Amino acid sequence: MEEKLYYQDPYLRSAEAGIVAVEENNVYFDRTVFYPEAGGQPGDRGVFEGRRIVDTKKTGKGIAHVFDDASGLYVGMHGTMTLDWDHRHAFMEKHSAQHLISSLFFGMFGLGTVAVHLSDEYVSIELDGDAPGPDCLDAIEDAVAEASRKKAAIHSAVFTRMEVEQMHLRRSIKVSGDEVRVVFIDGYDAVPCGGVHLASTSEIGEVSFLYGETIRGHVRTFWLVGGSAVLERRRNRDAVRRLSTLLSEKPADVVDAVERKIGEIEALRSSVRHLQERLAGNEIALLDPSVKVHRTSVPLEFFRTGLVKHGFSDILLIGEGDRKEFLYIGCDEAFKKLKDRLLLRGGGRAGLFQGAYVMDADTLEKEALKVMYGE
């Protein structure tokens, strides 16, 4: 078994190590600073003697360091392995924040954590109760900030399974074996965990709630931590400032102003639809019952009911402009001929067919008339 240097010192960024096995691109060392993927935390990445390690994972043989190219590496080779520290520290930050948030949900609202996931962008925490309201989420954010100011120590220790069971922690043991590692946040939390963590809550930085969703009868909450939270706050601030300028409103009044604008837009859309319906009705009223093809700039959806009502039974409407849509009212056999000859895309039933055309409108009209008059 390799020596797990990441447990001895989570802040150790590099170390000398020797290769004990090579299996394709999976390389095993006698010691490592690379944490393997586990418990929702992704595996570390970095380099060994200039060669890229793109992932780290557990296998039946130990900790596999996955190289993008392991050619030239051999058993007995010694060298220096170095972490991608920004990647590692970001996930130490996220993992420690997740422990703190989960402990606060449990302690303040009695909500246990069902599952967690740490991604490059966010931390997701799935809870075993109803969706927490805005006040609850605000309280969690405030409590995280308070814990950060208190600079609570984060540390770990190994106990026997029986000792841990007698601690009655908020989460059950999820590993086999008699030795169980417990991670402590002084004054806040203690939970079985095999991950690597920060040394203090003061390093967690900013934490903000992103959004929530319901899944498998539970609620999953998403959180931004550290740099991601700061970036989101600044983006939101800049967005509000830009909207404030565009709408000539104070930042605090932007939401009300946007809601008013949306109402105005909906009213305009309703007016436009009403006018389009009237235009379509006027065009239908002026059509000769014998006409076979009609081109219009009015959306064709406003013609369907009127054409049928006025008794048109063999007519092709061609939409002009960017829409390139068609509407045909007639029998199935006649539509099949039009579709095959004119390369129409679409279909329908009960004598009404619609879709899109690809050729130019002039050519479509010319060819359609040939088909409809049997030429």
Side-chain angles (χ1 to χ4, degrees), residues 141-186:
E141 287 185 357
D142 292 342
V144 171
E146 176 64 19
S148 179
R149 288 191 292 269
K150 287 183 176 179
K151 301 180 181 180
I154 304 174
H155 53 95
S156 65
V158 177
F159 301 88
T160 65
R161 178 174 290 271
M162 182 177 296
E163 288 173 330
V164 176
E165 289 173 348
Q166 292 174 348
M167 293 178 185
H168 303 293
L169 305 179
R170 66 173 173 83
R171 195 181 75 187
S172 61
I173 302 170
K174 297 184 178 181
V175 295
S176 59
D178 188 52
E179 289 190 345
V180 180
R181 185 170 178 268
V182 177
V183 173
F184 297 87
I185 303 178
D186 286 350

Side-chain angles (χ1 to χ4, degrees), residues 185-237:
I185 303 178
D186 286 350
Y188 289 93
D189 194 37
V191 68
C193 177
V196 285
H197 291 269
L198 302 173
S200 168
T201 55
S202 64
E203 295 182 53
I204 290 175
E206 190 169 332
V207 171
S208 64
F209 173 71
L210 186 59
Y211 67 94
E213 64 182 14
T214 301
I215 180 172
R216 298 187 295 270
H218 299 136
V219 59
R220 179 184 289 167
T221 60
F222 293 81
W223 301 81
L224 297 176
V225 177
S228 296
V230 172
L231 180 60
E232 180 72 4
R233 172 170 53 79
R234 290 174 178 171
R235 284 175 177 168
N236 291 339
R237 178 198 62 198

Side-chain angles (χ1 to χ4, degrees), residues 281-342:
N282 291 338
E283 289 190 24
I284 292 171
L286 295 173
L287 284 177
D288 188 296
S290 64
V291 71
K292 295 293 185 182
V293 178
H294 176 64
R295 291 167 62 169
T296 179
S297 59
V298 179
L300 302 189
E301 61 183 288
F302 297 104
F303 285 86
R304 289 193 291 260
T305 302
L307 287 173
V308 173
K309 182 179 179 180
H310 284 75
F312 287 88
S313 59
D314 184 27
I315 184 172
L316 176 69
L317 264 70
I318 299 173
E320 298 183 308
D322 297 334
R323 299 173 71 93
K324 299 202 75 168
E325 58 179 351
F326 76 85
L327 173 68
Y328 175 70
I329 294 178
C331 66
D332 292 1
E333 183 178 353
F335 175 68
K336 186 177 185 305
K337 291 180 180 179
L338 286 169
K339 185 175 183 180
D340 292 343
R341 177 80 171 267
L342 306 179

Side-chain angles (χ1 to χ4, degrees), residues 35-217:
Y35 176 77
E37 178 183 6
Q41 182 170 340
D44 283 332
R45 61 195 189 197
V47 295
F48 173 74
E49 291 299 308
R51 296 174 181 267
R52 291 181 60 237
I53 299 173
V54 296
D55 196 7
T56 312
K57 59 185 181 181
K58 291 180 180 178
T59 72
K61 292 188 176 181
I63 297 175
H65 301 70
V66 184
F67 283 74
D68 61 348
D69 181 7
S71 59
L73 300 180
Y74 56 89
V75 174
M77 179 179 178
H78 283 75
T80 302
M81 55 170 54
T82 303
L83 287 173
D84 177 341
W85 179 246
D86 289 341
H87 177 264
R88 155 67 83 78
H89 189 266
F91 282 98
M92 289 169 62
E93 189 177 53
K94 290 182 175 70
H95 203 163
S96 297
Q98 177 269 306
H99 276 224
L100 180 58
I101 295 168
S102 290
S103 72
L104 292 169
F105 267 125
F106 186 75
M108 297 169 64
F109 304 103
L111 295 172
T113 294
V114 177
V116 302
H117 176 68
L118 313 179
S119 78
D120 288 334
E121 180 182 358
Y122 57 76
V123 174
S124 72
I125 302 175
E126 187 175 332
L127 304 170
D128 64 1
D130 295 333
D135 291 344
C136 168
L137 298 167
D138 289 346
I140 294 293
E141 287 185 357
D142 292 342
V144 171
E146 176 64 19
S148 179
R149 288 191 292 269
K150 287 183 176 179
K151 301 180 181 180
I154 304 174
H155 53 95
S156 65
V158 177
F159 301 88
T160 65
R161 178 174 290 271
M162 182 177 296
E163 288 173 330
V164 176
E165 289 173 348
Q166 292 174 348
M167 293 178 185
H168 303 293
L169 305 179
R170 66 173 173 83
R171 195 181 75 187
S172 61
I173 302 170
K174 297 184 178 181
V175 295
S176 59
D178 188 52
E179 289 190 345
V180 180
R181 185 170 178 268
V182 177
V183 173
F184 297 87
I185 303 178
D186 286 350
Y188 289 93
D189 194 37
V191 68
C193 177
V196 285
H197 291 269
L198 302 173
S200 168
T201 55
S202 64
E203 295 182 53
I204 290 175
E206 190 169 332
V207 171
S208 64
F209 173 71
L210 186 59
Y211 67 94
E213 64 182 14
T214 301
I215 180 172
R216 298 187 295 270

